[in-house]
Amino acid sequence: MGDTCTRGCRFCSVKTSKAPPPLDPHEPEHTAEALSRWGLGYVVLTSVDRDDLVDGGARHFAETISKIKQKAPTMLVEALTGDFGGDLSMVGLVARSGLDVYAHNIETVEELTPFVRDRRAKFRQSLDVLEAAKRAKEELITKTSIMLGLGETEDQVWDTLKGEYIITIIIINFFASFILFQTIRLLPRIPSLSMLPFLQPPFLLPLLSPLPALQSSSSSSSSSSTTTPIPFP
């Protein structure tokens, strides 16, 4: 869907424009053909935001996924999408296109969202996207990611992860913001929370226990007498 985004999140260095070039109508077919030849078992599709398009690029996503599944039925496909301007019908379209994992990033805690993300990207809207994907296809795995070290407090991180819907998301990625050294200078100068406590098993295990699919494994892990910290550079 091109290399030019219609949004300007402050952590991102992708070039932006209100009117990016038009979509390549052959991209879905070419992408599916290339992936089928590579013989991959798992592929992740992502794109820039395309607010200039009526459907936000959802049909382009869905067509690409559908063609991949036609050419490589056993390949697992994850799509990391934008919010399609809050159009949940477009979220459903992508979710039902043959997708295995639906990813959409909340990026940060709700309190920092206006400072970190583009003004059109709302925290609650992102939660609605993930919930709509799950409603569209119940067996679909939903996934999100959050950056740590942008100035969030520990309580804010806990509140985010214990949210009404977020706890039903099967996969949550944590990113340490120091890897964003090229663009992090664009963010407000606010004290940064150490991300180390949130990468340790004692923090993660209580979050996993409410998840039915993971309850048995998390409970057995939490019952062990000692926990080995995850190495951190």
Side-chain angles (χ1 to χ4, degrees):
M1 289 171 34
D3 61 357
T4 305
C5 189
T6 53
R7 298 191 183 183
C9 295
R10 299 183 74 174
F11 62 86
C12 184
S13 60
V14 172
K15 62 183 179 181
T16 63
S17 172
K18 291 182 179 179
L23 297 180
D24 176 2
H26 303 295
E27 185 177 35
E29 176 67 28
H30 290 167
T31 300
E33 181 63 27
L35 291 175
S36 65
R37 292 182 181 182
W38 292 347
L40 302 176
Y42 193 106
V43 64
V44 180
L45 305 175
T46 191
S47 77
V48 294
D49 281 297
R50 294 296 303 259
D51 298 288
D52 58 311
L53 303 175
V54 174
D55 66 352
R59 291 182 177 84
H60 201 75
F61 252 115
E63 184 183 355
T64 302
I65 296 164
S66 178
K67 286 185 178 295
I68 292 172
K69 287 295 188 176
Q70 289 173 13
K71 294 178 180 292
T74 61
M75 185 180 294
L76 297 176
V77 181
E78 173 185 332
L80 172 58
T81 78
D83 56 25
F84 303 121
D87 188 342
L88 301 184
S89 65
M90 294 297 99
V91 174
L93 177 70
V94 175
R96 292 187 294 267
S97 63
L99 197 59
D100 299 290
V101 179
Y102 196 112
H104 175 71
N105 293 342
I106 58 173
E107 308 292 10
T108 186
V109 298
E110 185 170 13
E111 292 82 355
L112 293 185
T113 296
F115 305 103
V116 175
R117 303 176 70 187
D118 184 274
R119 60 180 175 78
R120 289 162 287 187
K122 305 292 194 300
F123 183 85
R124 298 290 169 177
Q125 183 166 278
S126 288
L127 292 185
D128 289 343
V129 167
L130 292 161
E131 188 174 12
K134 199 70 172 178
R135 284 201 311 266
K137 184 180 178 183
E138 188 174 352
E139 67 273 23
L140 191 64
I141 294 174
T142 47
K143 174 182 174 182
T144 195
S145 298
I146 182 171
M147 294 177 285
L148 298 178
L150 300 180
E152 66 286 333
T153 67
E154 183 172 337
D155 286 342
Q156 288 171 343
V157 175
W158 274 109
D159 289 343
T160 299
L161 299 178
K162 290 180 176 179
E164 181 178 356
Y165 176 70
I166 205 77
I167 201 64
T168 68
I169 297 173
I170 300 301
I171 302 173
I172 302 175
N173 282 339
F174 295 89
F175 289 105
S177 65
F178 64 79
I179 65 174
L180 303 171
F181 63 92
Q182 290 183 321
T183 55
I184 204 69
R185 57 187 171 78
L186 301 177
L187 296 172
R189 294 295 181 179
I190 47 184
S192 289
L193 171 73
S194 170
M195 64 288 296
L196 182 58
F198 301 102
L199 301 176
Q200 304 300 316
F203 175 83
L204 297 175
L205 289 175
L207 297 174
L208 297 178
S209 58
L211 299 174
L214 301 176
Q215 187 146 11
S216 58
S217 60
S218 63
S219 60
S220 62
S221 299
S222 59
S223 63
S224 60
S225 56
T226 59
T227 304
T228 303
I230 298 175
F232 194 79

